[in-house]
Amino acid sequence: MDPKNITTKERFAIPRQAMPSQDPVIRSRNFKEVNLGYTPELAQQEALRCIQCKDPVCIKGCPVNIKIDQFIKLISEGNFLGAAKKIKEDSVLPAICGRVCPQEDQCEKMCVIGKKREPVAIGNLERFAADYERQSGNVELPTVQPATGKKVAVIGSGPAGLSCANDLAQLGHSVTVFEALHELGGVLMYGIPEFRLPKVIVQSELEGLKKLGVTFVTNTVAGRSVTVDELLNEEHFDAIFIGVGAGLPWFMGIPGENLLGVYSANEFLTRVNLMKSYDFPQSDTPVFNCKAKSVAVFGGGNTAMDAVRTARRLGAEHAYIVYRRSEAEMPARLEEVHHAKEEGVEFLMLMNPLEFLGNEQQWLTGAKCLKMELGEPDESGRRKPVPIKDSEFVLPIDMAVISIGNGSNPLIRQTTPDIEVSKRDTIVVDINTMATSKESVYAGGDIVTGGATVILAMGAGRTAAKAIHEKLSSAS
Amino acid sequence: MYRIVSANFLAENIKKIEIEAPRIAKKRKAGQFVMVRVSENGERVPLTIAGSNPETGTITLIVQGMGKSTRELNSKNPGDFISDIVGPLGTPSHIEKFGTAVSIGGGVGTAIAYPTAVALKEAGNYVITINGARSKELVILEDEMKAVSDEAYITTDDGSYGFHGFVTQMLQQIIDSGKTVDFVLAIGPIPMMRAVAEVTRPYGIKTMVSLNPIMVDGTGMCGGCRVTIGNETKFACVDGPEFDAHQVDFKNLTDRNKLYIPEEKQSAEAFSHKCRIGIGG
Ligand SMILES: Cc1cc2nc3c(=O)[nH]c(=O)nc-3n(C[C@H](O)[C@H](O)[C@H](O)COP(=O)(O)OP(=O)(O)OC[C@H]3O[C@@H](n4cnc5c(N)ncnc54)[C@H](O)[C@@H]3O)c2cc1C
Ligand SMILES: Cc1cc2nc3c(=O)[nH]c(=O)nc-3n(C[C@H](O)[C@H](O)[C@H](O)COP(=O)(O)OP(=O)(O)OC[C@H]3O[C@@H](n4cnc5c(N)ncnc54)[C@H](O)[C@@H]3O)c2cc1C
Ligand code: SF4
Ligand code: SF4
Ligand code: FES
């Protein structure tokens, strides 16, 4: 169809183009990416579904206001590199956000087509444009402003830190990123698994930043290896951005949590993704041997889905999601829930663990659970789960993964007491500038919001970069 | 990459290794540790910082070859490189003038106890050290320990050197001799630390132990290193590694350290095989 002569009626008639994906049976045993990506034909077809609204409300649903109508138009015209460029005006990591954004709650939720039909697949199209650009080898390096002579330290190399570093480097500042781990990328590397976000994509974004002149220093824990004050006063950084994420796993505080076979989602995913335990013994770090075992993951978010699908890929015979509320309340992306089900994950809803049970050698053997039902709505507007009397039962399992969220790591706040934190230990900032209570120190991402999303972290990094630039420019 | 400056065996299977790591050398305090990844695909293993030289920017580790990772590290020589080292991690030892302080080291635990013994001495304590080993050849840091001690004892299980018996018997003798002991630090195998805790408990002597759970990141991110202290869960890498010995659930720690025994064996066997056929490091 010619994008110039297509009628609105014809656009409405095109069905949402399905994302090609690996066969569920095969993929539930490998770590390769599940989604294969649109072909140019599929992408152009999908792009034609966008009616190019005068008031593109989809943009309001995107936390960084990507010019969605414009980039989709470019795709429909076959100008894929142009589309990628358009997206990059507002987003630093489009190949990543196209894959992991909860689109159904953001841009696609607002899309007018979604009122009567399925919304335009904005995320899939964004991913297509970014992948096309990367694979074409035509990634244009942004122009870098002349050096300002100002030095900025970025602590943490997750999406918040990387996007802040990107913008500041383009503006001509000298940027050094300090990362605690031996690998860069934050949750993108150690949390979200390969089958959802191939690591080569993260690597290629990092390469781009290195080409911009950003210096990366791994193996450096702010608060231990060096403090914020030392960076300011001894190493003479003019400003600091803190993007250390939400990295302190919560446990449930129920009996038996320290039995052998009980993991936090962070530990399980870090072992598998960062330390490559799936490749043991080629890689030295072991992880619980899930083969033919029963594994239960407690929680209903993206992290829980990643953990349960990882266990399945490591050979678990039964891989359960155990969640307190009902499926409708699960915060995970819809696509992940759908994929998990296709891969044979079993969903046990309205169930609350009371205790972990173990054998004499202290290995986990089961979880004592209580069945729940939905009662009245609570403060959050979600119906509150209440226990059903005498409904206790034991779920036999060999491994448990606790995925009920993260608090914030204490290292920075303990060593920099003049940075104000909230009651939940998150860093308090002015949301317009991301400035903290401490002069020249900014923060953004999960350390400010608590566990949130990649796109919000990226947006926060960019807001901070803008404010830091203004501050440094006016100071000179 | 981090360069090894010097490396020599102190006893069979125990090597002293000096590595270039200027930031860590400048900041570290007694009781802190580093996470080391020897090579690509390697594990992250925790090792105590036994000493440092801020001028040359080096730190010293004393490593006992246990499984794959520590044996691979001990196969390194001056001029070789290791992939990663991060630190200083953990809460530094709490040092004050207690009065009479007894520092007890068992096996390679002697190396871990050494920096804290130095700090205790510097804080003005009367320092007694007891260092235990299975036999004479395995005694390490004898001269160093003597130099920081007001009284230094060595015990061997087989009686081949020093006092014939366990460190706990020596400790009991010291207590029985009527000396007031104000503080005990015990670092070594879990059964030894547990036994020391039982010796001091009836006297109410403040006793600290340095726990060695399995770790991954060492920064408080994974919770894999959790230990039970007085019915509370703590993360050893940020809250410790030193804890009040009388509060520690040693059984839980012993059990949790057994998590990967089959895998550790598999790694170690593959590593010895590689060494024997001469392709490994
Ligand atoms: C398993 C999992 C799945 C997820 N899935 C999705 C999804 O599908 N979609 C989505 O939008 N979001 C998802 N999220 C959430 C998303 O990943 C986070 O919101 C986002 O990564 C936050 O970015 P950040 O830059 O604030 O922090 P992080 O990505 O956490 O990065 C922080 C970095 O700082 C480093 N660091 C920490 N402390 C220090 C220190 N003291 N010194 C130096 N460095 C330090 C850390 O090692 C880390 O590399 C998921 C999260 C997890 C854990
Ligand atoms: C805070 C701390 C300080 C330490 N300091 C020293 C030191 O100064 N010198 C020294 O020789 N050893 C020290 N250790 C112990 C050392 O980390 C382990 O011996 C080492 O990790 C074993 O690895 P491996 O691959 O060689 O052996 P493996 O075959 O993996 O294991 C052998 C034994 O070590 C234990 N172990 C395995 N992995 C770990 C891990 N990641 N962390 C802790 N223990 C593990 C296992 O329970 C097992 O019993 C310390 C441990 C901790 C927690
Ligand atoms: S960044 Fe996320 S929310 Fe924004 S348009 Fe892309 S997929 Fe939608
Ligand atoms: S709301 Fe939907 S149809 Fe309208 S411009 Fe946005 S994507 Fe296109
Ligand atoms: S080692 Fe991961 S939290 Fe301590």
Side-chain angles (χ1 to χ4, degrees):
Chain A
M1 255 176 275
D2 180 352
K4 291 203 186 71
N5 297 321
I6 179 170
T7 64
T8 304
K9 207 170 151 207
E10 283 169 326
R11 290 186 194 266
F12 281 153
I14 308 169
R16 180 168 161 131
Q17 304 297 300
M19 170 61 84
S21 59
Q22 268 196 77
D23 176 79
V25 177
I26 297 171
R27 74 173 191 242
S28 68
R29 294 296 185 230
N30 72 42
F31 278 88
K32 290 197 208 106
E33 191 174 14
V34 169
N35 285 339
L36 304 170
Y38 278 163
T39 58
E41 296 71 36
L42 284 173
Q44 268 180 293
Q45 192 70 3
E46 180 64 30
L48 287 176
R49 297 184 63 231
C50 167
I51 57 171
Q52 295 292 312
C53 301
K54 283 225 172 57
D55 174 20
V57 285
C58 49
I59 296 180
K60 295 199 189 86
C62 169
V64 297
N65 306 123
I66 288 180
K67 299 173 197 86
I68 297 172
D69 55 328
Q70 298 182 29
F71 94 75
I72 294 186
K73 181 150 187 276
L74 289 163
I75 292 183
S76 73
E77 295 164 357
N79 183 355
F80 305 138
L81 291 176
K85 221 170 147 183
K86 184 57 70 186
I87 298 170
K88 283 194 167 170
E89 288 174 11
D90 302 290
S91 168
V92 188
L93 310 165
I96 295 170
C97 294
R99 284 174 166 80
V100 305
C101 261
Q103 289 94 7
E104 70 269 16
D105 290 328
Q106 300 182 350
C107 52
E108 293 182 20
K109 185 181 187 178
M110 303 294 278
C111 172
V112 293
I113 305 290
K115 296 236 158 63
K116 290 217 179 96
R117 302 170 175 80
E118 285 192 87
V120 175
I122 302 169
N124 290 351
L125 289 172
E126 181 173 327
R127 164 197 166 129
F128 167 79
D131 284 358
Y132 186 91
E133 186 193 41
R134 190 181 63 256
Q135 283 154 5
S136 74
N138 282 324
V139 183
E140 228 179 276
L141 262 197
T143 43
V144 174
Q145 301 298 316
T148 61
K150 299 283 180 189
K151 280 172 61 181
V152 183
V154 169
I155 305 174
S157 65
L162 294 182
S163 54
C164 185
N166 175 77
D167 288 9
L168 288 168
Q170 285 190 32
L171 291 164
H173 304 295
S174 151
V175 182
T176 307
V177 178
F178 295 96
E179 166 57 47
L181 293 170
H182 59 268
E183 288 240 39
L184 302 166
V187 168
L188 307 176
M189 283 306 283
Y190 71 72
I192 305 180
E194 177 79 15
F195 58 81
R196 216 149 62 79
L197 177 62
K199 301 307 157 219
V200 291
I201 293 172
V202 184
Q203 291 309 333
S204 106
E205 299 296 346
L206 289 167
E207 284 312 312
L209 283 175
K210 284 179 194 159
K211 284 195 197 126
L212 278 181
V214 174
T215 307
F216 288 98
V217 183
T218 50
N219 293 322
T220 307
V221 185
R224 290 279 201 230
S225 317
V226 65
T227 63
V228 170
D229 285 312
E230 285 164 349
L231 288 173
L232 287 171
N233 304 332
E234 291 170 28
E235 305 201 13
H236 306 294
F237 283 97
D238 298 293
I240 293 184
F241 175 76
I242 302 176
V244 293
L248 183 92
W250 279 328
F251 286 88
M252 296 189 283
I254 61 175
E257 230 163 3
N258 292 346
L259 287 167
L260 283 74
V262 183
Y263 286 76
S264 74
N266 279 7
E267 181 182 2
F268 181 53
L269 291 170
T270 300
R271 282 181 178 271
V272 179
N273 296 329
L274 180 73
M275 305 311 295
K276 308 189 183 77
S277 311
Y278 60 84
D279 204 16
F280 183 86
Q282 271 63 46
S283 166
D284 290 345
T285 307
V287 71
F288 186 88
N289 187 346
C290 298
K291 274 205 191 72
K293 301 277 174 50
S294 295
V295 176
V297 176
F298 297 83
N302 285 318
T303 310
M305 293 307 136
D306 285 343
V308 79
R309 295 170 71 197
T310 297
R312 188 87 177 117
R313 281 163 174 74
L314 293 173
E317 184 180 340
H318 290 289
Y320 305 108
I321 282 285
V322 181
Y323 187 54
R324 245 157 41 92
R325 301 178 188 250
S326 73
E327 201 177 313
E329 281 90 25
M330 280 200 318
R333 292 179 78 222
L334 274 184
E335 188 184 29
E336 312 314 330
V337 175
H338 175 68
H339 279 161
K341 284 189 176 160
E342 285 183 345
E343 289 162 13
V345 170
E346 298 159 64
F347 282 68
L348 307 178
M349 297 294 104
L350 288 163
M351 215 166 268
N352 204 21
L354 298 175
E355 182 181 356
F356 290 113
L357 309 170
N359 64 16
E360 241 158 53
Q361 287 76 44
Q362 300 295 301
W363 283 91
L364 178 71
T365 55
K368 193 194 275 176
C369 299
L370 193 62
K371 291 189 184 149
M372 316 287 277
E373 60 190 353
L374 287 181
E376 297 298 306
D378 61 14
E379 317 84 64
S380 69
R382 298 190 296 183
R383 290 178 64 194
K384 205 180 151 151
V386 288
I388 301 175
K389 250 186 108 195
D390 300 326
S391 65
E392 269 177 48
F393 73 104
V394 172
L395 177 70
I397 48 172
D398 307 290
M399 181 198 193
V401 180
I402 297 168
S403 180
I404 57 165
N406 288 295
S408 71
N409 192 292
L411 294 181
I412 289 191
R413 69 171 185 271
Q414 280 170 359
T415 49
T416 322
D418 49 341
I419 295 179
E420 189 191 338
V421 294
S422 71
K423 267 194 229 115
R424 292 158 51 229
D425 288 334
T426 53
I427 294 181
V428 176
V429 297
D430 169 347
I431 54 158
N432 298 312
T433 60
M434 298 289 149
T436 69
S437 60
K438 188 175 170 74
E439 179 75 21
S440 304
V441 179
Y442 298 73
D446 283 1
I447 186 62
V448 167
T449 53
T453 59
V454 172
I455 188 75
L456 282 174
M458 197 192 82
R462 301 201 79 188
T463 305
K466 191 162 163 271
I468 291 172
H469 177 62
E470 276 162 17
K471 172 102 189 291
L472 296 184
S473 310
S474 67
S476 60
Chain B
M1 298 292 266
Y2 299 78
R3 195 168 68 95
I4 293 181
V5 179
S6 74
N8 55 285
F9 279 101
L10 300 180
E12 196 194 331
N13 210 21
I14 299 182
K15 201 167 189 175
K16 180 173 168 184
I17 301 174
E18 205 183 338
I19 305 177
E20 263 175 11
R23 257 186 217 278
I24 306 174
K26 205 172 86 184
K27 295 249 2 168
R28 75 100 196 178
K29 294 205 172 77
Q32 289 189 297
F33 64 95
V34 287
M35 297 297 293
V36 169
R37 208 169 65 112
V38 182
S39 55
E40 275 308 306
N41 292 328
E43 282 185 282
R44 296 167 63 96
V45 291
L47 295 163
T48 306
I49 307 167
S52 67
N53 184 337
E55 270 90 66
T56 56
T58 57
I59 61 165
T60 303
L61 307 177
I62 296 180
V63 186
Q64 178 168 36
M66 292 283 292
K68 154 94 208 272
S69 308
T70 45
R71 279 158 58 189
E72 188 181 0
L73 180 55
N74 279 359
S75 72
K76 299 284 173 194
N77 292 307
D80 289 348
F81 288 84
I82 58 168
S83 292
D84 300 284
I85 181 163
V86 57
L89 301 171
T91 305
S93 306
H94 173 77
I95 304 289
E96 60 174 272
K97 189 169 173 187
F98 296 103
T100 299
V102 181
S103 156
I104 304 175
V108 78
T110 303
I112 307 177
Y114 174 66
T116 307
V118 173
L120 285 168
K121 182 73 198 163
E122 281 168 0
N125 287 286
Y126 183 87
V127 174
I128 303 175
T129 57
I130 310 174
N131 293 305
R134 280 202 313 280
S135 65
K136 184 171 184 204
E137 310 77 63
L138 296 173
V139 173
I140 56 169
L141 301 182
E142 188 179 357
D143 296 337
E144 286 86 345
M145 277 299 185
K146 259 198 194 126
V148 299
S149 309
D150 294 284
E151 289 172 43
Y153 300 96
I154 286 175
T155 70
T156 50
D157 299 359
D158 63 1
S160 52
Y161 193 53
F163 174 85
H164 184 177
F166 295 130
V167 289
T168 39
Q169 291 166 292
M170 191 69 228
L171 175 65
Q172 188 68 56
Q173 280 194 7
I174 293 171
I175 295 173
D176 291 344
S177 75
K179 266 200 190 90
T180 320
V181 173
D182 301 293
F183 177 76
V184 171
L185 168 77
I187 305 176
I190 298 170
M192 181 206 97
M193 295 192 284
R194 185 187 213 164
V196 169
E198 290 321 311
V199 171
T200 58
R201 196 191 300 275
Y203 304 96
I205 301 170
K206 184 178 166 68
T207 305
M208 297 297 279
V209 285
S210 178
L211 302 185
N212 61 336
I214 296 173
M215 294 187 175
V216 185
D217 58 304
T219 65
M221 184 267 279
C222 79
C225 64
R226 57 196 192 279
V227 288
T228 312
I229 311 294
N231 293 326
E232 255 187 81
T233 293
K234 298 274 180 192
F235 291 2
C237 69
V238 286
D239 302 320
E242 286 178 19
F243 292 100
D244 179 347
H246 299 146
Q247 301 282 323
V248 173
D249 181 343
F250 286 105
K251 166 137 184 16
N252 185 237
L253 177 64
T254 311
D255 290 333
R256 283 185 65 82
N257 274 359
K258 291 183 186 145
L259 242 156
Y260 301 110
I261 287 180
E263 287 83 7
E264 283 158 4
K265 242 171 116 179
Q266 194 181 346
S267 275
E269 274 161 16
F271 179 67
S272 334
H273 181 69
K274 230 163 66 171
C275 289
R276 257 183 283 126
I277 59 176
I279 48 172

